Amino acid sequence: MEEKPSMEPLTEERVEHFLMNHEDFLAKFYEKHGSKEMIEKMTGKKSLDVKNITIVKSDTFAAECPMEHVKRKSVAPAGPGKPLGGYQSAQRNSVTTSMFKQYVEGQMKKMKKASLVQNIVSLRKLNEQELFMELIRDIATELDVNVLCHKILQNVSILTKSDRGSLFLVRGNEQRKYLVSKLFDVTRTSTPEESIHTEENEIKVPFGRGIAGHVAETKGTINIKEAYDDPRFNQDVDKKTGYRTHSILCMPILSYDDELVGVAQIINKVEGPHEFTKQDEEYFRRYLIFCGIGITNAQLFEMSVQEYKRNQLLLNLARGVFEEQTSLEKLLQKIILQSQDLLKCERCLVYLLDDVLDKDADSPKEDYKRPTSTKEVVFCKAFDLCAKDGGTIHVPSVASLSKSKNAEIARHVVVQGMPLNIGDMDESTTFGKGPHIDEDGFRSKSMLCMPIYNSDKKIIGVTQLINKINGQAFIESDANIIEAFSIFTGLGIHNCQMYENACKLMAKQSVALEVLSYHATAQASEIDELLTCEIPSAEKINLYSFGFNDIPMPDDDTVKAVVCMFQEADLFNKFRIPYDVLCRWATSVKKNYRPVTYHNWRHAFNVAQTMFTMIYTGGLKPMFKDIEVLTLLVGCLCHDLDHRGTNNAFQVKVVSPLAMLYSTSVMEHHHFDHCIMILNSEGNNIFQSLSSEEYRTVIKMLEHAILSTDLALYFKKRGDFKTLIDNGDIKFETEPTKELLRAMMMTACDVAAITKPWEIQKEVAQLVANEFFEQGDIEKDKLGEKPIAMMDREKVDELPKMQVGFIDAICIPVYKMFAEMNKKLDPLYKGVMSNRDNWQKMADEHERKMAEGKQADHEPEKPAPTNNSSQEQKTQNGGVRKTSTNNQPKRHGSNVISKKTEMKSYKKTKICSLM
């Protein structure tokens, strides 16, 4: 049997050699046996044109082919729009609306594309032009920046036969640009996931530093044959990785308008002397031209994605603005929380100026004057969101805002009226030397601030972003986002103000209906009687005296006394006030005081009489214009209109309609509004003959005068007044100083009962105490709360001591300053000091009896006295009373009555202060 010849083993080289010499076989094989799955698996393309599968000779890469004797045909033209050869098998991106939304929402699956590196053997068989075009097609339609950059480096490796490469992109703003490593040490076999640098591990290279930084700064080419001989090369990377860098070729990536997009760097040519040639430089340069276009397109697509997300944010903000309008605080919290994901910062704050929350929609518009210094900027509230707190929003106190360094920067933005972007807080010296650590220990590294404007283009707040989570500086896109954020914040504030003002108008209507239902218009008979009666002279009723006593006067005579004051001041003639209008107005004002225990018409009348006396008897008339005298007298008569016998704190506690209507100085604002209501009533406008300018001036001064009776404002202004007195500046010629003087006079007149003769003071003090006790009873019985000592009947024995404290804290300072300013006002100071001595004696007597009582508790009980004789005992009100000395309990009861009287006296003064 004939022996068959042995066959050589089948190897890849033999198969490849056969296919190279029998190209038609390959085409026929695909036509006969090639399944769809096989073709897709081998080429990554769903359909394959076998006519285009052609082996091409490449002079450039001939050395790469292991069989140089194989004949090759050139590629036939593919026709317009068709890829050369069969190597462009990757599916192209076709961006549609639905695909774009899926991409934005993260639902788009990454399309698996066949890498050209996998076909490197075949690619190297193409000529230069064909290979170049194939590599360009590979990146032309890639929209993912990360994948694109990875492809660029791998394709450059094919072109230049380099071992690995890195790509840096430009970041920062015009003032501070730098490079960041997008991909580092990309090889032919590495994947994007292995090479990509995230924000956490990316390398930052400043312009001008190192090889890549030098190329970024000069836009030139650097070709280094031996890296270790170049001082710009950093050998630390080699030491860490164990890799030896020899040659480096580094070039800029430019956009179509010659703007630097990034820097590409390849390392170690794998063939020959390991040096990059001029031809490599040319290939690299030509290819990077197209890479610049591709990266720019990918970045534009990335920007469009960010813009789409920004638009979605704005839509959500707009929805939030119209959905949440019941509370400004809730709205701002909602906006900050919705924006946190897009803003991507460690801390976000919104500051509001002090006139935002309390501004009424119907208040007159004033010309906006931007503050000239940060001291003039006062933030009333701030909302602080820290990323590490898990979305919890904090509201810092006003005191902490005044000390905060971050708030000081926000105040600077209000003064400048311009956005502020600080890339590095440690390097910036504008707000002090770094590190920039706030009062709460938070360190600010970068900051972006944007003013918030309202519809009148007035700055009403500031939005502040601190520290991007990725550690980078804020860029232009961040500024655009925060600008839109600030615009919607301004719209939200305006919308909430409109809603809150509507609620206030409803509350005001409720209050008005209540007032109108309670108060009656002055009766025509009362007005006629006043018009026809004889007005007593000022001397007859002692109108010019600091010791004036209204207690013996009937109510009708008090109204006559008001008319007398207007006559004495000649206000009828100076301001052409019709006599019947003044009589109707005065009677209506008296009618609109409720019959509460103390804050009634009598109190208002006494305050007006004291003002009259300070102006004329105290010698202050030369300091004031006639229109100011008119305003002060009207303000005193109206300063407690419709008082309910309870203070501001009580109104807030019970959430009364008044407290809903006014956020501060609740009762004082109501008194002023009620005053305006009477003036607007038919036949009651005593200012009807004033010009428009005079009327505006009077109303403004009138409001200031009535609000000044709030002791909270008195404490704020007293220091400024004392400074003027101590410096001898007592002419009060400027409007601010005259306004301060008028405010201090209103307080001095409001608590003037403390300066009256002792007998008058005691009786008035008892009225005050009674009114305080009535409020305390309501708090105990209806609110279930324990009242403060001054309003607690059970602590009546402590009132003389508290009265002394009130005199020392409130009364003595103001009367002493007026006495120093003008000796004619000394009777007020002497009166309060005299009454203080009396209250102190009562307090000392109480302390003595308390001490004796404690001592008696430790002594044996003595038999009751048997003496039934009576003796005269002087009472506290100056009268004489018979008391029995043989009945110890009765005497003890007398002492209790005495203590209650003292307590009530103390209460009276305190009420005046709380007004």
Side-chain angles (χ1 to χ4, degrees):
M1 187 174 182
E2 186 178 354
E3 188 178 6
K4 295 182 179 179
S6 60
M7 298 181 65
E8 297 181 7
L10 187 64
T11 62
E12 290 186 7
E13 289 78 6
R14 288 177 58 83
V15 172
E16 184 177 2
H17 179 271
F18 177 82
L19 293 176
M20 288 290 186
N21 288 276
H22 302 82
E23 329 146 344
D24 296 339
F25 173 82
L26 181 61
K28 292 178 180 179
F29 176 83
Y30 269 115
E31 288 180 343
K32 185 176 182 180
H33 301 288
S35 65
K36 180 179 180 182
E37 290 75 13
M38 177 192 301
I39 296 174
E40 290 181 0
K41 183 177 180 180
M42 295 179 64
T43 66
K45 190 173 182 181
K46 293 186 176 180
S47 60
L48 182 67
D49 185 1
V50 297
K51 301 299 183 182
N52 286 335
I53 300 180
T54 312
I55 310 296
V56 186
K57 179 179 179 180
S58 173
D59 296 330
T60 305
F61 297 113
E64 289 295 315
C65 181
M67 307 177 71
E68 297 182 359
H69 60 280
V70 178
K71 296 181 180 180
R72 303 172 181 87
K73 294 191 297 184
S74 56
V75 179
K82 296 183 180 180
L84 287 173
Y87 299 101
Q88 180 55 29
S89 57
Q91 181 179 351
R92 297 187 180 186
N93 286 333
S94 177
V95 180
T96 63
T97 303
S98 60
M99 289 177 60
F100 179 81
K101 290 183 178 180
Q102 291 176 2
Y103 190 104
V104 171
E105 295 168 0
Q107 300 175 359
M108 190 71 178
K109 294 182 179 180
K110 298 294 183 181
M111 289 179 286
K112 295 183 179 180
K113 304 177 183 179
S115 173
L116 293 182
V117 177
Q118 298 174 1
N119 301 321
I120 188 169
V121 175
S122 300
L123 285 172
R124 286 183 173 176
K125 296 168 186 176
L126 300 174
N127 62 38
E128 293 88 352
Q129 182 180 2
E130 294 162 355
L131 175 64
F132 201 82
M133 293 302 297
E134 201 66 38
L135 296 181
I136 290 174
R137 285 194 185 96
D138 189 42
I139 65 172
T141 57
E142 182 57 62
L143 296 176
D144 188 305
V145 175
N146 296 333
V147 176
L148 174 64
C149 293
H150 187 264
K151 281 187 174 183
I152 289 173
L153 291 175
Q154 287 194 325
N155 292 348
V156 167
S157 173
I158 297 173
L159 274 174
T160 61
K161 305 184 184 67
S162 59
D163 181 59
R164 62 189 59 198
S166 300
L167 192 144
F168 303 85
L169 295 180
V170 179
R171 292 287 186 266
N173 50 39
E174 291 295 327
Q175 292 74 29
R176 183 175 176 269
K177 287 187 176 181
Y178 56 92
L179 297 175
V180 295
S181 56
K182 194 67 177 176
L183 291 105
F184 197 76
D185 275 356
V186 175
T187 65
R188 299 175 187 176
T189 59
S190 64
T191 64
E193 291 75 14
E194 295 172 348
S195 307
I196 192 71
H197 272 195
T198 62
E199 294 175 342
E200 288 72 24
N201 64 349
E202 65 186 10
I203 302 172
K204 295 183 179 180
V205 181
F207 276 30
R209 184 177 301 177
I211 296 173
H214 182 78
V215 170
E217 187 174 55
T218 62
K219 296 182 181 179
T221 300
I222 293 180
N223 190 348
I224 302 174
K225 298 180 179 180
E226 179 51 57
Y228 281 55
D229 295 337
D230 195 306
R232 295 170 296 187
F233 177 71
N234 186 358
Q235 301 180 22
D236 293 340
V237 178
D238 280 8
K239 293 178 181 178
K240 291 179 180 178
T241 60
Y243 182 83
R244 177 61 165 88
T245 302
H246 294 283
S247 56
I248 299 176
L249 179 58
C250 191
M251 282 189 176
I253 303 175
L254 305 175
S255 66
Y256 71 96
D257 54 355
D258 204 43
E259 285 291 325
L260 185 69
V261 176
V263 171
Q265 178 177 284
I266 52 177
I267 299 173
N268 290 359
K269 189 160 183 175
V270 296
E271 294 179 354
H274 302 291
E275 297 177 4
F276 292 104
T277 64
K278 291 293 183 180
Q279 188 177 26
D280 293 329
E281 288 185 25
E282 181 61 18
Y283 287 160
F284 200 15
R285 183 190 65 78
R286 290 168 56 193
Y287 190 68
L288 289 185
I289 293 175
F290 294 95
C291 293
I293 298 173
I295 292 176
T296 301
N297 290 338
Q299 289 178 332
L300 288 173
F301 178 76
E302 191 174 71
M303 290 173 60
S304 67
V305 172
Q306 292 298 323
E307 186 68 20
Y308 176 85
K309 291 181 178 179
R310 178 185 175 214
N311 291 337
Q312 292 300 309
L313 168 67
L314 297 184
L315 289 175
N316 290 333
L317 292 180
R319 190 180 299 112
V321 166
F322 293 104
E323 286 180 353
E324 181 56 66
Q325 57 185 8
T326 58
S327 169
L328 177 60
E329 296 184 8
K330 291 181 181 179
L331 172 69
L332 291 178
Q333 290 177 357
K334 188 173 184 179
I335 291 177
I336 293 176
L337 287 172
Q338 289 181 345
S339 307
Q340 178 65 26
D341 290 339
L342 190 59
L343 296 175
K344 296 189 183 305
C345 59
E346 293 182 6
R347 196 170 184 180
C348 177
L349 298 100
V350 174
Y351 300 91
L352 298 181
L353 292 174
D354 61 349
D355 60 344
V356 174
L357 298 179
D358 300 331
K359 186 174 178 60
D360 293 332
D362 55 354
S363 58
K365 292 185 178 181
E366 300 177 357
D367 294 336
Y368 173 59
K369 296 181 180 179
R370 185 182 301 159
T372 56
S373 72
T374 56
K375 294 181 179 179
E376 301 177 20
V377 181
V378 179
F379 293 126
C380 66
K381 185 164 287 191
F383 300 87
D384 185 358
L385 173 63
C386 284
K388 64 179 182 180
D389 292 339
T392 302
I393 296 179
H394 303 279
V395 180
S397 64
V398 177
S400 64
L401 289 178
S402 63
K403 300 177 183 178
S404 171
K405 293 181 180 179
N406 292 331
E408 180 64 21
I409 297 177
R411 283 188 279 269
H412 174 80
V413 172
V414 175
V415 173
Q416 298 298 322
M418 296 290 292
L420 178 66
N421 189 353
I422 305 176
D424 192 329
M425 296 289 293
D426 293 341
E427 293 183 2
S428 175
T429 58
T430 306
F431 301 100
K433 187 177 180 181
H436 188 88
I437 302 177
D438 207 7
E439 295 294 322
D440 56 3
F442 184 86
R443 180 175 179 180
S444 301
K445 300 176 183 178
S446 59
M447 184 177 294
L448 178 61
C449 295
M450 185 74 65
I452 301 173
Y453 291 89
N454 63 5
S455 57
D456 299 324
K457 297 183 179 179
K458 175 184 177 182
I459 296 178
I460 57 176
V462 174
T463 304
Q464 185 178 73
L465 306 183
I466 305 176
N467 297 356
K468 290 197 72 173
I469 294 178
N470 59 16
Q472 298 179 0
F474 292 97
I475 58 178
E476 184 178 358
S477 62
D478 298 317
N480 293 335
I481 292 173
I482 192 176
E483 181 181 10
F485 170 79
S486 299
I487 291 173
F488 274 87
T489 302
L491 291 174
I493 290 174
H494 176 75
N495 201 35
C496 280
Q497 282 180 332
M498 295 296 292
Y499 180 81
E500 290 179 359
N501 285 325
C503 294
K504 286 182 178 181
L505 289 175
M506 294 178 64
K508 182 179 287 189
Q509 182 183 25
S510 177
V511 172
L513 290 174
E514 180 191 357
V515 169
L516 292 175
S517 65
Y518 180 87
H519 296 292
T521 307
Q523 297 294 323
S525 57
E526 295 181 72
I527 301 171
D528 293 340
E529 183 179 351
L530 184 59
L531 285 170
T532 57
C533 73
E534 180 181 352
I535 302 300
S537 65
E539 293 76 12
K540 182 178 180 180
I541 57 178
N542 205 21
L543 200 59
Y544 286 91
S545 172
F546 286 109
F548 176 81
N549 182 12
D550 73 301
I551 295 176
M553 297 177 66
D555 280 353
D556 292 342
D557 287 355
T558 58
V559 183
K560 296 176 185 177
V562 171
V563 177
C564 181
M565 281 189 274
F566 275 70
Q567 289 178 337
E568 292 293 315
D570 198 24
L571 299 178
F572 286 102
N573 295 324
K574 292 177 179 177
F575 297 102
R576 303 181 300 281
I577 303 175
Y579 188 78
D580 63 318
V581 173
L582 189 280
C583 292
R584 185 178 295 105
W585 174 82
T587 307
S588 297
V589 169
K590 173 178 171 292
K591 272 282 188 181
N592 279 269
Y593 273 93
R594 299 193 181 196
V596 294
T597 305
Y598 175 70
H599 287 94
N600 49 39
W601 163 251
R602 288 286 184 147
H603 167 65
F605 169 67
N606 274 281
V607 173
Q609 187 277 330
T610 303
M611 180 64 73
F612 180 84
T613 308
M614 289 184 71
I615 293 174
Y616 292 99
T617 307
L620 299 184
K621 177 61 178 71
M623 295 183 178
F624 296 108
K625 300 176 182 178
D626 292 327
I627 198 169
E628 291 176 284
V629 174
L630 172 65
T631 303
L632 288 171
L633 290 178
V634 172
C636 289
L637 289 169
C638 298
H639 84 280
D640 270 335
L641 274 168
D642 195 47
H643 202 289
R644 283 89 189 283
T646 53
N647 59 14
N648 288 337
F650 180 84
Q651 297 295 327
V652 174
K653 187 182 300 183
V654 300
V655 196
S656 68
L658 290 178
M660 294 175 60
L661 192 57
Y662 314 105
S663 58
T664 59
S665 302
V666 175
M667 294 305 301
E668 288 74 22
H669 275 103
H670 176 57
H671 302 325
F672 170 71
D673 285 351
H674 204 92
C675 171
I676 299 301
M677 185 189 73
I678 295 175
L679 288 170
N680 290 335
S681 301
E682 185 177 356
N684 286 280
N685 189 3
I686 58 176
F687 302 141
Q688 63 186 23
S689 298
L690 300 180
S691 65
S692 299
E693 183 64 29
E694 289 175 329
Y695 184 83
R696 284 193 294 269
T697 301
V698 166
I699 297 302
K700 183 178 179 180
M701 287 193 298
L702 185 60
E703 180 180 23
H704 176 264
I706 294 177
L707 294 183
S708 296
T709 58
D710 184 355
L711 278 191
L713 301 180
Y714 159 72
F715 283 117
K716 293 181 181 179
K717 299 176 181 179
R718 189 172 69 182
D720 296 335
F721 188 65
K722 187 176 187 306
T723 300
L724 293 177
I725 301 301
D726 292 345
N727 294 337
D729 187 5
I730 57 175
K731 292 184 179 181
F732 300 98
E733 295 176 340
T734 64
E735 182 55 32
T737 57
K738 290 184 75 172
E739 188 177 77
L740 182 60
L741 174 61
R742 293 195 299 266
M744 291 296 105
M745 289 177 67
M746 289 298 297
T747 299
C749 295
D750 196 16
V751 298
I754 200 69
T755 68
K756 297 292 183 179
W758 175 242
E759 298 304 324
I760 301 175
Q761 214 286 301
K762 279 196 307 180
E763 188 166 344
V764 175
Q766 185 173 354
L767 297 175
V768 178
N770 289 339
E771 187 172 282
F772 269 3
F773 290 152
E774 291 166 4
Q775 177 175 327
D777 294 341
I778 297 174
E779 293 178 357
K780 276 193 295 186
D781 299 339
K782 296 186 178 181
L783 302 182
E785 297 181 0
K786 185 174 181 60
I788 61 175
M790 188 164 286
M791 298 184 181
D792 193 348
R793 293 185 188 273
E794 297 176 2
K795 297 186 178 181
V796 63
D797 294 341
E798 301 176 16
L799 287 178
K801 181 179 179 181
M802 289 189 286
Q803 185 76 339
V804 172
F806 170 72
I807 292 174
D808 290 342
I810 307 294
C811 306
I812 289 179
V814 67
Y815 293 122
K816 184 177 181 181
M817 288 186 287
F818 274 114
E820 292 174 354
M821 184 186 80
N822 192 326
K823 291 299 182 183
K824 292 183 179 181
L825 297 174
D826 196 51
L828 295 172
Y829 178 62
K830 289 181 178 179
V832 71
M833 294 304 295
S834 175
N835 288 329
R836 185 196 183 282
D837 293 340
N838 291 326
W839 285 115
Q840 186 64 57
K841 289 177 183 178
M842 295 177 66
D844 294 343
E845 179 67 16
H846 171 66
E847 292 294 333
R848 183 184 64 78
K849 290 181 179 180
M850 291 291 292
E852 290 177 355
K854 290 181 181 180
Q855 183 178 0
D857 291 340
H858 298 285
E859 294 179 358
E861 186 176 352
K862 296 180 180 180
T866 56
N867 187 3
N868 294 327
S869 61
S870 299
Q871 64 179 14
E872 292 184 350
Q873 181 179 346
K874 184 173 290 188
T875 62
Q876 289 183 11
N877 61 6
V880 176
R881 182 178 59 202
K882 296 256 186 178
T883 53
S884 174
T885 59
N886 65 350
N887 191 335
Q888 188 66 27
K890 187 177 292 186
R891 185 168 66 248
H892 178 72
S894 174
N895 290 335
V896 172
I897 296 174
S898 173
K899 292 171 185 173
K900 287 185 178 179
T901 304
E902 297 168 17
M903 276 349 284
K904 294 174 180 183
S905 173
Y906 167 67
K907 275 302 188 177
K908 156 336 175 218
T909 345
K910 194 64 172 178
I911 265 286
C912 296
S913 70
L914 292 177
M915 283 189 17

